[in-house]
Amino acid sequence: MSTETYGAAFAVRWMDGVAAAVEREAGRLTDLDAAIGDADHGANLKRGFAAVAEALAKEPPATPGAVLVTAGGLLIATVGGASGPLYGTLLRRAGKALGEAGEVSRAELADALAAGVAAVGRLGGAVPGDKTMLDALTPAVEALRESFAAARSAAEAGALATVPLRARKGRASYLGERSVGHRDPGATSSVLLFAALEEAAAG
Amino acid sequence: MSTETYGAAFAVRWMDGVAAAVEREAGRLTDLDAAIGDADHGANLKRGFAAVAEALAKEPPATPGAVLVTAGGLLIATVGGASGPLYGTLLRRAGKALGEAGEVSRAELADALAAGVAAVGRLGGAVPGDKTMLDALTPAVEALRESFAAARSAAEAGALATVPLRARKGRASYLGERSVGHRDPGATSSVLLFAALEEAAAG
Amino acid sequence: MLINVPESVVADGLRGLAAAHPELTVDVEQRVVVRRDAPVAGKVALVSGGGSGHEPLHAGFVGPGMLDGACPGEVFTSPVPTQMVRAAAAVDSGAGVLFVVKNYTGDVLNFEMAAELAEDEGIQVAKVLVDDDVAVTDSLYTAGRRGTGATLFVEKIAGAAAEEGAPLERVEALARRVVTRSRSFGVALSACSTPAKGGPTFDLPPGELELGVGIHGEPGRERRGMMTAGEIAEVAVDAVLDDLRPSDPVLLLVNGMGGTPLLELYGFNAEVRRVLDARRVPVARTLVGNYVTSLDMAGCSVTVCAADEELLRLWDAPVATPALRWGR
Amino acid sequence: MLINVPESVVADGLRGLAAAHPELTVDVEQRVVVRRDAPVAGKVALVSGGGSGHEPLHAGFVGPGMLDGACPGEVFTSPVPTQMVRAAAAVDSGAGVLFVVKNYTGDVLNFEMAAELAEDEGIQVAKVLVDDDVAVTDSLYTAGRRGTGATLFVEKIAGAAAEEGAPLERVEALARRVVTRSRSFGVALSACSTPAKGGPTFDLPPGELELGVGIHGEPGRERRGMMTAGEIAEVAVDAVLDDLRPSDPVLLLVNGMGGTPLLELYGFNAEVRRVLDARRVPVARTLVGNYVTSLDMAGCSVTVCAADEELLRLWDAPVATPALRWGR
Ligand SMILES: Nc1ncnc2c1ncn2[C@@H]1O[C@H](COP(=O)(O)OP(=O)(O)O)[C@@H](O)[C@H]1O
Ligand SMILES: Nc1ncnc2c1ncn2[C@@H]1O[C@H](COP(=O)(O)OP(=O)(O)O)[C@@H](O)[C@H]1O
Ligand SMILES: [Mg+2]
Ligand SMILES: [Mg+2]
Ligand SMILES: [Mg+2]
Ligand SMILES: [Mg+2]
């Protein structure tokens, strides 16, 4: 069992990784959103995480918790839409759960993100199976107790599993049956979050 | 030299023939107008000559002159655009020139139509070579002194000769050089007029 | 598209709005539009906002008798809480602020956060949720009905009440009454093109249409082969009347999605009126035009509000905004 | 298209106009729209008309302070003389009628015939020809400049003078002054689709544009690869200013062709203003919107009128029409 710990630099690396991934995948996210939403998910997250990366580069906070709180606040302040408050709450709540600690373990990170995911559920009123980001986030934080790699593949599996679902929350729910057969954009961007986390942890 | 004469029934047959031809060729006229104008020439003439045919069927005037005056007045009252007043004036003026005669010769018809064409020139201010209906009408009435068939082929040649011209009158003139290479819609509809005349004369 | 770069369309639009309308104060940087004379002493203030791409909604409805402030988000993306808080602070005279929120997850969440923040700053905030689109079943299995054309009715009528000096609870209650009495249904004849995507957000072959579309370029509930204006009017009006049997004469909005010519929209209004007449629903007032749009989408929506006498009086009250103006 | 059949679009539009605007008298059969209170005793009357497809022009500008009557023709086809004579007879109070004619061969010929017929009926008629479009060289080799955006300025300003009680010669002289001082330039980002043709009137691949287009779906003077809003503003403003160096502050119309979203149009206004500022041309008033349209064409036009104080005063005077309304 790993006893490695993760500090502020790791958290910044994580956020930078998400920013790079979102930048790279923005077109794909937007196309997914065009199919069952309003074609802005890629642009939304690109704008948000670019602001996060820029702010962290300018003034990197001292603890991983502070990094996530800053990132979450910036997402809320710059993204808008459904994903801004939701991803913003995820990171802010997780950051707050990490407290003042300079270094945290993977288990602590998993607990913190679990608190974040619970907050996302409360805020948006969705549960797993509603074809939202929660379908990737929920299994991913669970698997994070095992390993970073397990978290990433759980997110991937969760995102893939949204394809046959009928959306019950968010914009895709307006389509009713027609939402079936499409992959949820938010669940897909959640995969990028956990892929970047795995990479950041690898150093 | 033919000494045949033509009465009111002939004039009605002529107008009916134009109505049928315009109905058949409306799409082509509109497409020509789309290229260098505003895509309504076919619809305009269809509307106008349909009204003419209907009115003539209801109450056929007693003389060829009266038929043309009625037809011209109806074109003015129903077509609008540039072609309405112009074709309307052509037929009205020609009809007036025929006077009260119950039967007219081809030569008289040619004189009357020449007066009509002159009126069109005065009204619209165009001369042959400006890429308008006059490019077909002018040689056609000239050739009508020879025969109905000659009139039709002169109209055809005149219309074809508009292709390389640069428009100096009407909507196509807005295009300047870009009007070159397109056949004028009004000259093209004038061919239908003389083709129908030839057919009507054939009985 | 008539743009510079996709990233600047909202800011560019606000610069142009400012240039055309000196009677508005436009903060291009912070994306907040308020009437120049805000805050109006003693007056309850109305603030709305939402994604851009629906112009003139909302910034075009800022002015005496309607909104005090508007917050445009990115194209089809709800604005962020800070915008709303800034707008609320700029227009609040102490009499409180009503947030007019269209029912979309993003708008709801961001306005909720803004309300909390504004209350932390000592501003009294009420919220009204507009959810008039009957194409969406309001059930546990959806995010609830979308807010579309009724937003205009709410902003106009509640705005008139606020202008007359009504207190916050009353303005809020009136706004809610308008929502309760309003229903909409929309149809797309083409997809719209967002600047970010650079092309149509979905593929709709000419000659087909989408019934029950929203205003964000999302596909509708059902695709159909081409229908006449009269057939579309029947579907739209009946969808609305299935859900609302007005006993009062109605306010009618025949709204264009942006890309449908006004000539066609008026023709559609004739058909809508024909169907309403056949269903014995009298029309008290009609507004025809592009008011709640979806960029360049071809299509239309029908909104009906069963207006009692008070609502009708407030509808007729003076209004002076860039997009809606009468009585002064 | 949101229509029943191509043949009835104009009549359907008029039925819908009548349903929405009880303050207008609409003769659907004869295609004549006049203000309900016509003829207004002692007032000079303004009548305009032209092809349909440019809505709200002209019927949307009928009302106090602007037109007394309008005659819509078929789509993109000038109306016929009988319509104009009927309209003139319906609005003439004995003070005479001004025909506002856009310079197109069809409009000119039909209005000319109408003027003769109306004078035969004892109506005093004056005519003003609007020819503001600098994309067309005014020479022996063309039908002369087209009438586009300046028509709105003429109808508003001459209409205000007539409403104030000015006699016919003065209303006519003012109209002519507006024409002399106005210039326009238009750009298409897409072709428009006419109901009769059922599809685009010309082929313009996305990413290309036509400079110097008219409002009848005719191609422009030149095709170009895509330009930014800023570049288009430079071309349009410079084309206008090449021909008219205003010494007075200008009235500015930033007009949409119908299919361009209002968001983009406002962004374009920002660029137009930037260019005018750089050329040191002060802007007194700005109107942004879809006023002189070309069905669903994407694109825009810029119209500038060098407004002296009197023109500006008349521009600001009250107007109450379906599409332009202020001051009352
Ligand atoms: N109520 C909700 N709970 C959790 N996630 C949601 C909810 N509503 C939407 N989402 C997620 O947000 C994603 C859409 O984000 P985005 O496109 O940025 O916002 P918007 O829908 O406002 O345009 C969806 O794909 C979905 O995963
Ligand atoms: N001044 C003119 N003199 C003679 N013919 C003209 C003139 N202007 C236009 N035309 C003819 O009218 C035709 C166009 O008719 P039509 O499309 O029905 O009217 P509009 O141009 O008003 O749309 C042109 O092709 C041309 O032949
Ligand atoms: Mg989205
Ligand atoms: Mg034409
Ligand atoms: Mg969105
Ligand atoms: Mg025409």
Side-chain angles (χ1 to χ4, degrees):
Chain A
M1 191 179 151
S2 147
T3 55
E4 215 165 326
T5 61
Y6 304 90
F10 153 83
V12 169
R13 227 163 42 234
W14 179 21
M15 291 297 107
D16 285 349
V18 178
V22 157
E23 164 91 40
R24 199 177 56 233
E25 301 287 327
R28 192 174 141 240
L29 295 176
T30 289
D31 286 349
L32 289 175
D33 198 24
I36 55 170
D38 59 352
D40 64 355
H41 191 55
N44 285 349
L45 293 190
K46 211 170 108 174
R47 183 171 63 252
F49 280 100
V52 167
E54 197 193 315
L56 295 179
K58 238 183 234 155
E59 240 178 297
T63 64
V67 169
L68 297 191
V69 168
T70 300
L74 274 166
L75 291 183
I76 292 172
T78 59
V79 173
S83 59
L86 292 169
Y87 274 128
T89 296
L90 171 72
L91 296 184
R92 258 173 70 89
R93 188 69 194 72
K96 285 191 178 172
L98 291 179
E100 316 272 275
E103 295 277 323
V104 301
S105 69
R106 178 161 48 72
E108 286 167 328
L109 197 62
D111 285 343
L113 284 170
V117 171
V120 168
R122 280 192 303 277
L123 182 63
V127 294
D130 283 353
K131 196 175 184 120
T132 71
M133 55 175 69
L134 283 178
D135 291 322
L137 292 176
T138 309
V141 295
E142 199 51 53
L144 185 55
R145 299 183 195 286
E146 204 180 298
S147 74
F148 288 108
R152 197 228 333 110
S153 37
E156 270 166 12
L160 195 62
T162 62
V163 173
L165 295 178
R166 174 181 169 147
R168 277 194 294 251
K169 286 288 169 193
R171 207 173 284 286
S173 71
Y174 302 143
L175 293 184
E177 269 308 316
R178 288 178 84 183
S179 66
V180 170
H182 296 276
R183 198 181 157 108
D184 180 61
T188 307
S189 56
S190 291
V191 176
L192 302 180
L193 209 72
F194 282 90
L197 180 63
E198 186 188 8
E199 275 174 39
Chain B
M1 192 180 151
S2 148
T3 55
E4 214 166 329
T5 60
Y6 304 90
F10 153 82
V12 170
R13 225 162 45 232
W14 180 20
M15 291 298 107
D16 285 350
V18 179
V22 157
E23 165 90 40
R24 198 178 57 233
E25 299 288 328
R28 191 173 142 242
L29 295 176
T30 289
D31 287 349
L32 289 174
D33 198 25
I36 55 171
D38 58 351
D40 62 356
H41 190 55
N44 285 349
L45 293 190
K46 210 170 108 174
R47 184 171 60 251
F49 280 100
V52 167
E54 196 194 313
L56 294 179
K58 238 184 238 155
E59 240 178 297
T63 65
V67 169
L68 297 192
V69 168
T70 302
L74 273 166
L75 291 184
I76 292 173
T78 58
V79 174
S83 59
L86 292 168
Y87 274 128
T89 295
L90 172 70
L91 296 184
R92 259 172 69 89
R93 189 68 195 73
K96 286 192 178 171
L98 291 179
E100 317 273 276
E103 295 278 325
V104 300
S105 69
R106 178 160 50 71
E108 285 167 327
L109 197 61
D111 284 342
L113 284 170
V117 171
V120 169
R122 281 193 303 277
L123 183 64
V127 295
D130 283 353
K131 196 176 184 118
T132 71
M133 56 174 69
L134 284 179
D135 291 323
L137 293 176
T138 309
V141 293
E142 200 49 52
L144 185 56
R145 300 183 193 287
E146 203 178 301
S147 73
F148 288 107
R152 197 228 333 108
S153 38
E156 270 166 12
L160 195 62
T162 62
V163 175
L165 295 177
R166 174 181 170 147
R168 278 194 292 251
K169 286 290 168 191
R171 209 173 282 287
S173 71
Y174 303 143
L175 292 183
E177 269 308 317
R178 289 177 85 183
S179 65
V180 169
H182 296 275
R183 197 180 158 110
D184 179 62
T188 307
S189 56
S190 291
V191 176
L192 302 181
L193 210 70
F194 282 91
L197 181 62
E198 185 188 8
E199 276 174 39
Chain C
M1 284 173 210
L2 186 58
I3 63 171
N4 290 317
V5 290
E7 291 71 26
S8 71
V9 283
V10 176
D12 290 347
L14 287 174
R15 283 193 298 129
L17 184 76
H21 295 287
E23 73 276 18
L24 301 177
T25 301
V26 179
D27 186 335
V28 176
E29 191 69 29
Q30 301 298 332
R31 302 192 176 185
V32 171
V33 178
V34 303
R35 49 191 277 198
R36 173 123 295 174
D37 59 354
V40 181
K43 192 182 98 62
V44 166
L46 272 76
V47 168
S48 191
S52 292
H54 310 303
E55 290 65 27
L57 186 81
H58 299 271
F61 298 140
V62 173
M66 216 160 163
L67 293 180
D68 295 79
C71 316
E74 281 296 324
V75 171
F76 292 167
T77 303
S78 102
V80 296
T82 36
Q83 286 173 269
M84 300 152 187
V85 175
R86 266 175 213 271
V91 299
D92 181 37
S93 68
V97 176
L98 177 69
F99 282 168
V100 179
V101 185
K102 301 196 297 303
N103 188 34
Y104 299 97
T105 308
D107 295 70
V108 170
L109 296 181
N110 285 284
F111 267 105
E112 219 154 73
M113 292 185 165
E116 276 176 37
L117 293 168
E119 274 163 359
D120 287 353
E121 291 190 18
I123 302 172
Q124 198 190 346
V125 175
K127 274 184 304 182
V128 61
L129 204 64
V130 186
D131 59 345
D132 52 314
D133 184 351
V134 298
V136 178
T137 331
D138 190 6
S139 77
L140 283 177
Y141 305 106
T142 68
R145 285 181 167 168
R146 298 174 287 221
T148 60
T151 317
L152 185 154
F153 290 157
V154 171
E155 293 177 359
K156 171 67 187 76
I157 288 171
E163 203 71 40
E164 287 182 4
L168 184 56
E169 314 80 69
R170 172 134 181 67
V171 174
E172 182 190 350
L174 270 163
R176 208 150 274 149
R177 192 150 106 223
V178 175
V179 172
T180 311
R181 289 167 159 259
S182 298
R183 298 292 186 281
S184 297
F185 189 86
V187 176
L189 277 71
S190 79
C192 60
S193 297
T194 62
K197 195 157 187 329
T201 57
F202 59 89
D203 198 55
L204 183 57
E208 300 192 14
L209 46 80
E210 288 274 340
L211 294 180
V213 287
I215 54 172
H216 296 82
E218 59 268 58
R221 300 285 293 192
E222 194 191 336
R223 182 165 294 191
R224 287 265 194 98
M226 192 45 77
M227 298 161 71
T228 64
E231 290 162 350
I232 295 173
E234 272 156 33
V235 169
V237 169
D238 285 340
V240 161
L241 296 184
D242 264 358
D243 205 83
L244 175 90
R245 284 298 328 180
S247 51
D248 292 301
V250 300
L251 280 174
L252 171 65
L253 170 63
V254 171
N255 176 61
M257 291 298 192
T260 284
L262 195 53
L263 175 63
E264 295 180 19
L265 218 51
Y266 270 112
F268 182 61
N269 179 50
E271 297 301 326
V272 167
R273 178 63 76 96
R274 179 182 58 74
V275 180
L276 285 171
D277 284 350
R279 309 287 185 269
R280 305 202 186 294
V281 176
V283 176
R285 302 286 183 278
T286 305
L287 190 66
V288 177
N290 292 288
Y291 292 104
V292 181
T293 62
S294 190
L295 291 171
D296 62 342
M297 180 182 269
C300 58
S301 63
V302 174
T303 304
V304 154
C305 172
D308 56 33
E309 265 181 35
E310 180 172 35
L311 298 189
L312 218 54
R313 185 183 66 72
L314 291 166
W315 174 257
D316 288 339
V319 59
T321 71
L324 219 59
R325 189 163 189 141
W326 58 68
R328 49 184 282 167
Chain D
M1 284 173 211
L2 186 56
I3 63 172
N4 290 319
V5 291
E7 291 70 26
S8 71
V9 283
V10 175
D12 290 347
L14 286 174
R15 284 192 297 129
L17 185 75
H21 295 287
E23 72 277 17
L24 302 176
T25 301
V26 180
D27 186 334
V28 176
E29 191 69 29
Q30 302 297 334
R31 303 195 174 182
V32 170
V33 179
V34 303
R35 45 190 282 196
R36 171 124 297 176
D37 58 354
V40 181
K43 192 182 97 63
V44 167
L46 273 77
V47 168
S48 191
S52 292
H54 310 304
E55 290 66 27
L57 187 80
H58 298 270
F61 297 140
V62 173
M66 216 159 163
L67 294 179
D68 295 78
C71 317
E74 281 296 324
V75 171
F76 293 168
T77 302
S78 103
V80 295
T82 35
Q83 285 173 271
M84 300 150 187
V85 175
R86 265 173 214 273
V91 299
D92 182 36
S93 69
V97 176
L98 178 69
F99 282 168
V100 179
V101 185
K102 302 197 297 303
N103 187 34
Y104 299 95
T105 307
D107 296 70
V108 170
L109 297 182
N110 284 285
F111 267 105
E112 221 154 72
M113 292 187 165
E116 277 176 37
L117 293 169
E119 274 163 1
D120 287 353
E121 293 190 16
I123 301 171
Q124 198 190 346
V125 174
K127 273 184 304 182
V128 60
L129 203 64
V130 186
D131 60 344
D132 52 315
D133 185 350
V134 299
V136 179
T137 329
D138 190 5
S139 78
L140 284 178
Y141 305 107
T142 68
R145 286 180 167 168
R146 297 174 288 221
T148 58
T151 316
L152 184 154
F153 290 156
V154 171
E155 293 177 359
K156 171 67 186 77
I157 288 171
E163 202 71 41
E164 286 182 6
L168 183 57
E169 314 79 69
R170 174 136 179 66
V171 174
E172 182 191 350
L174 270 163
R176 208 150 274 150
R177 193 151 107 222
V178 174
V179 171
T180 312
R181 289 166 158 259
S182 297
R183 298 291 186 282
S184 297
F185 189 87
V187 177
L189 277 71
S190 79
C192 60
S193 297
T194 61
K197 193 159 188 328
T201 56
F202 59 90
D203 197 56
L204 185 56
E208 299 192 13
L209 45 81
E210 289 274 341
L211 295 180
V213 287
I215 54 172
H216 296 83
E218 60 268 57
R221 300 285 293 191
E222 195 191 335
R223 181 165 294 191
R224 289 264 193 97
M226 193 42 80
M227 298 162 71
T228 64
E231 289 162 350
I232 295 173
E234 272 156 33
V235 169
V237 170
D238 286 340
V240 161
L241 296 184
D242 264 358
D243 205 82
L244 176 90
R245 284 300 324 180
S247 51
D248 292 300
V250 300
L251 280 174
L252 172 64
L253 169 63
V254 170
N255 177 62
M257 292 297 191
T260 283
L262 195 54
L263 175 64
E264 294 179 19
L265 217 51
Y266 270 113
F268 182 61
N269 179 49
E271 297 300 326
V272 168
R273 179 62 76 96
R274 179 182 60 72
V275 180
L276 285 170
D277 284 349
R279 308 289 185 266
R280 305 202 187 297
V281 175
V283 176
R285 302 286 184 279
T286 305
L287 190 65
V288 178
N290 293 288
Y291 291 105
V292 182
T293 62
S294 191
L295 291 173
D296 63 342
M297 179 182 271
C300 56
S301 62
V302 174
T303 304
V304 155
C305 172
D308 55 34
E309 266 180 35
E310 181 171 35
L311 298 188
L312 218 54
R313 184 183 66 74
L314 290 166
W315 175 256
D316 289 340
V319 59
T321 72
L324 219 59
R325 190 163 189 140
W326 57 68
R328 50 183 280 167

